[in-house]
Amino acid sequence: MSTTDTGRTTDGADETADDTGRTADDAGQAKEPAAAPKRHIGVSADGELGEAGSQLSTAPVDTAMPGSFGGARAPGAKGWIAWTGREVIGWARWFWRQLTSMRVALILLFLLSLGAIPGSLIPQSGTDAQKVADFKDAHSLLGPVYDKLGLFHVYSSVWFSAIYILLFVSLIGCIVPRTWQFVGQLRGRPPGAPKRLTRLPAYATWRTDAEPEQVREAALKVLKQRRFRAHVAGDAVAAEKGYLRETGNLIFHIALIVMLISFAWGQLFKSEGDKLIVEGDGFSNTLTQYDDFKSGNLFGQDDLDSFSFTLNSFTGTYELTGPNRGTPRTFQAAITYSVGAYGKDKKTTVKVNEPLRIGDSKVYLVSHGYAPVVTVKDGQGNVVMDHQAVPLLPLDSNVTSSGAIKVMDGYRNAKGEKEQLGFKAFFLPTYGGTNTAVVSQFPGLMNPVLNLEAYHGDLGVDSGIPQSVYQLDKTNMKMFKDSKGAQFRDNLKPGETMKLPNGAGTVTFDGIKEWAGFQVTQQPGSDWALIGAFAAIFGLAGSLFIQRRRVWVRATTGADGVTVVEMAGLGRSESAKLPEELGDLAALVHEQAPTKSDEDEDEAAADADEAAAAPDEDEPHPDAEPPVPAEGAEK
């Protein structure tokens, strides 16, 4: 086979090539190359290639900024107005070109990523207003500065919205013209071959006995079999492949736009609410039913899906032994739900990462805890709290829980005076014993104990100031004391009763219910954002790993009547695969139009020499006698 400019033979033989394309054998004797196409690969593509090298990419040409857009200014007010108009239009066009360039789009995308960092590190008012207030109280200097810069509400701030909108406009302004240009390229045909194929990065040539038309037909068939778009243009076959590179590039940027729109749509119309439900209790999807609720700026109450559900039971099991002791194994809630005002009841099970989907809403199971059931009686034996389950919040992985039990109405002390009762409660699902710390040893109910600290007085719930149901305001409360004057507290197991001092009443620990925390989210556009993310990944992979390239096969008749075949390739960027692919194509075409053998060339040369040495029949031999003229002929 033939050789390349890099000194590598196409058949892998240990031969070296000189500048003339001939090889030298091991004996050092020069010999002509074997019958195969000569490939001169690596020749620099200098000079103008014309249309052949154009539009391998849809990227716009980046032009330098001119010094003046208005040009020469004519004298007078009219000339000044015309010059100013040209300046304004010129600068506007220049700014638009810069904004819609891919370089600026990448810069804006980088700025958007940087702008999102404060939103992750600094408390946000839309997520946790209490943390924002605590931050301002703890940082008297940074708090006002952050507030003026909008760092407590980054994603709705003016500067973040400006970057977001500019990026959106930049991507659209960049993609639209490139899309139309690419569509025009798809509708057109690959351009014809340049005059000098030797200027291209990959090149091959050989001589053959086949006719030029036969070579072009064979090349056209081979290129189409390799999924090239090919056609005959003049004395050459023009082919192109790798359109998926530009397709992937456009898909990537279109996917970015889809993701931006989806995120914006989701942020404006989203809603997210939390609800703690004890076994046996229900929930209706209205604003008043939520414990905590936040939504986007354009979200309305009418956008809530109409449904309701009841928590029938919660099931949680844990690993009992080994290094993973206490790790949850089963974590699910059995519920009965209905859609609409008159929907039929349906039963289902909600698990972690397996939400209940109703319309655009998703109901997630996010937390779990225990709710001790207590009964409280006053000094006269009247029931003031009857078998009420009081949810307590977990403090650790073993579900050591704390909270408050509040008796707000109906209680009278031993003297018959109206008061309110409050109990600071600690619940331990697995109590370790009297000599251990007041913490649970296991998250399951193996040895449940309820620890209560009793107070009486004014809970402050009638002051109009909101307070947490899980915390006890002891400002106007007095502790109960035992016979020794110490704070009165006691540990209760299920079924046990605690008697308050001085006949103030009793508290009975009736049993335990479990509660589950649900999060109801409604975020439109999330599916489109996911589709856009996958499309962006595949589009980027296509634009990075697929090379767009062109191949030309020219077949012409040489001066000696032998067909000369030339093949050349051009890619959007330098790639080692282009010469290899051209070599494979050249080998396939060479099978249909093989190289003219040395014997044929020697025979043709001998015939030419013999023809040149043979006397002309019209000229007389110098030794021959002159012809005798016919009778009657003129002398």
Side-chain angles (χ1 to χ4, degrees):
M1 298 290 289
S2 63
T3 61
T4 68
D5 288 348
T6 60
R8 182 182 55 187
T9 59
T10 56
D11 59 355
D14 296 332
E15 298 175 343
T16 58
D18 58 14
D19 294 337
T20 63
R22 294 186 303 175
T23 59
D25 57 12
D26 296 336
Q29 298 177 350
K31 65 179 181 180
E32 291 296 328
K38 298 178 183 179
R39 275 183 267 166
H40 304 285
I41 301 173
V43 179
S44 132
D46 54 352
E48 294 293 336
L49 295 177
E51 186 182 1
S54 65
Q55 295 183 346
L56 272 173
S57 171
T58 57
V61 178
D62 191 8
T63 57
M65 172 184 168
S68 175
F69 297 100
R73 183 170 62 181
K78 187 176 181 180
W80 182 86
I81 293 175
W83 178 85
T84 304
R86 291 194 298 268
E87 279 286 307
V88 172
I89 295 175
W91 279 104
R93 288 178 177 175
W94 178 85
F95 179 78
W96 176 253
R97 290 193 187 101
Q98 300 305 311
L99 180 62
T100 56
S101 65
M102 195 54 60
R103 177 178 61 255
V104 173
L106 292 175
I107 293 174
L108 290 173
L109 188 61
F110 178 70
L111 291 177
L112 194 70
S113 302
L114 289 180
I117 294 176
S120 302
L121 301 178
I122 300 175
Q124 300 295 294
S125 57
T127 304
D128 197 335
Q130 184 61 41
K131 286 187 177 181
V132 173
D134 295 340
F135 185 91
K136 290 181 178 180
D137 293 339
H139 303 82
S140 58
L141 180 61
L142 290 178
V145 175
Y146 284 2
D147 199 7
K148 289 182 180 180
L149 294 177
L151 298 182
F152 292 122
H153 49 90
V154 168
Y155 304 109
S156 59
S157 62
V158 175
W159 57 270
F160 190 86
S161 300
I163 298 175
Y164 195 92
I165 294 173
L166 285 176
L167 177 60
F168 186 76
V169 174
S170 176
L171 288 175
I172 293 180
C174 178
I175 290 174
V176 171
R178 293 181 64 159
T179 302
W180 286 117
Q181 182 181 351
F182 185 59
V183 170
Q185 294 179 18
L186 291 177
R187 296 178 61 183
R189 286 187 170 188
K195 293 182 179 180
R196 299 179 61 184
L197 294 179
T198 55
R199 293 178 177 268
L200 301 185
Y203 177 76
T205 182
W206 70 93
R207 292 156 52 87
T208 181
D209 288 331
E211 296 296 328
E213 293 78 6
Q214 296 176 353
V215 176
R216 288 192 285 267
E217 290 178 2
L220 187 64
K221 181 179 179 181
V222 168
L223 290 170
K224 287 186 175 181
Q225 288 177 348
R226 288 297 185 96
R227 297 187 299 276
F228 278 82
R229 291 180 58 199
H231 71 105
V232 178
D235 60 354
V237 176
E240 189 168 4
K241 189 178 182 181
Y243 287 94
L244 288 178
R245 179 187 182 95
E246 291 300 324
T247 303
N249 192 18
L250 294 175
I251 288 176
F252 170 72
H253 293 95
I254 293 174
L256 286 182
I257 295 179
V258 173
M259 292 172 63
L260 289 175
I261 295 176
S262 301
F263 289 145
W265 187 266
Q267 290 296 320
L268 291 174
F269 291 92
K270 74 173 183 178
S271 66
E272 182 180 301
D274 299 318
K275 180 63 178 178
L276 186 151
I277 304 176
V278 180
E279 290 177 328
D281 293 344
F283 167 78
S284 180
N285 192 28
T286 58
L287 290 180
T288 57
Q289 291 281 302
Y290 285 99
D291 299 330
D292 181 30
F293 186 85
K294 50 183 177 290
S295 62
N297 295 333
L298 300 182
F299 182 84
Q301 185 174 355
D302 296 336
D303 295 329
L304 288 172
D305 292 320
S306 178
F307 66 89
S308 61
F309 65 88
T310 301
L311 176 61
N312 299 326
S313 63
F314 178 87
T315 303
T317 60
Y318 307 90
E319 190 69 34
L320 295 175
T321 59
N324 295 324
R325 185 175 186 271
T327 302
R329 293 305 180 193
T330 304
F331 203 78
Q332 60 188 29
I335 66 173
T336 301
Y337 73 98
S338 63
V339 180
Y342 304 101
K344 295 182 179 179
D345 290 342
K346 301 178 181 179
K347 292 186 177 181
T348 188
T349 300
V350 180
K351 302 179 181 179
V352 177
N353 296 327
E354 296 182 14
L356 170 65
R357 300 173 184 266
I358 302 176
D360 293 333
S361 300
K362 296 179 181 179
V363 182
Y364 291 92
L365 176 64
V366 294
S367 58
H368 156 258
Y370 296 103
V373 181
V374 297
T375 297
V376 180
K377 297 180 181 180
D378 61 9
Q380 287 74 33
N382 300 317
V383 177
V384 293
M385 178 180 286
D386 188 14
H387 292 83
Q388 183 170 337
V390 182
L392 304 181
L393 298 181
L395 299 176
D396 54 28
S397 59
N398 287 327
V399 202
T400 302
S401 306
S402 70
I405 301 174
K406 301 179 182 181
V407 180
M408 296 176 285
D409 299 315
Y411 173 76
R412 293 179 180 273
N413 58 21
K415 298 179 181 179
E417 299 173 348
K418 289 185 177 181
E419 275 190 325
Q420 293 177 332
L421 292 179
F423 301 90
K424 188 175 180 180
F426 287 90
F427 178 72
L428 290 76
T430 302
Y431 181 50
T434 56
N435 296 327
T436 60
V438 187
V439 291
S440 177
Q441 305 297 317
F442 189 77
L445 295 173
M446 300 179 67
N447 184 25
V449 168
L450 177 63
N451 179 273
L452 297 176
E453 295 179 4
Y455 297 85
H456 64 98
D458 185 7
L459 292 171
V461 295
D462 299 326
S463 62
I465 301 175
Q467 59 177 245
S468 173
V469 296
Y470 305 105
Q471 295 179 351
L472 188 63
D473 184 3
K474 296 180 287 186
T475 305
N476 299 315
M477 301 291 288
K478 296 180 181 180
M479 68 176 67
F480 284 100
K481 296 182 179 180
D482 58 16
S483 58
K484 298 180 181 180
Q487 181 183 22
F488 180 77
R489 60 186 303 168
D490 198 2
N491 291 335
L492 298 178
K493 292 187 176 182
E496 295 182 347
T497 300
M498 178 180 70
K499 294 182 179 181
L500 298 175
N502 304 321
T506 60
V507 180
T508 302
F509 182 18
D510 297 319
I512 307 162
K513 287 187 176 181
E514 299 189 52
W515 59 261
F518 294 91
Q519 186 179 81
V520 182
T521 63
Q522 188 172 341
Q523 189 167 3
S526 57
D527 294 337
W528 282 104
L530 182 61
I531 293 173
F534 279 109
I537 293 174
F538 286 110
L540 182 60
S543 64
L544 291 178
F545 298 108
I546 298 176
Q547 183 187 17
R548 189 172 174 187
R549 62 274 195 199
R550 289 172 179 165
V551 173
W552 293 275
V553 182
R554 174 176 286 155
T556 57
T557 303
D560 55 356
V562 179
T563 301
V564 178
V565 182
E566 292 181 290
M567 292 186 66
L570 178 65
R572 177 177 173 181
S573 58
E574 292 294 335
S575 173
K577 293 183 179 181
L578 180 61
E580 295 177 4
E581 185 177 27
L582 184 69
D584 295 339
L585 294 173
L588 294 175
V589 176
H590 183 264
E591 292 178 359
Q592 304 296 325
T595 302
K596 183 177 178 63
S597 64
D598 294 341
E599 295 179 357
D600 293 340
E601 290 186 358
D602 294 341
E603 184 179 350
D607 293 340
D609 294 341
E610 183 179 353
D616 192 345
E617 296 179 358
D618 296 334
E619 296 181 359
H621 196 277
D623 299 334
E625 297 182 355
V628 179
E631 297 182 356
E634 296 182 355
K635 293 183 180 179

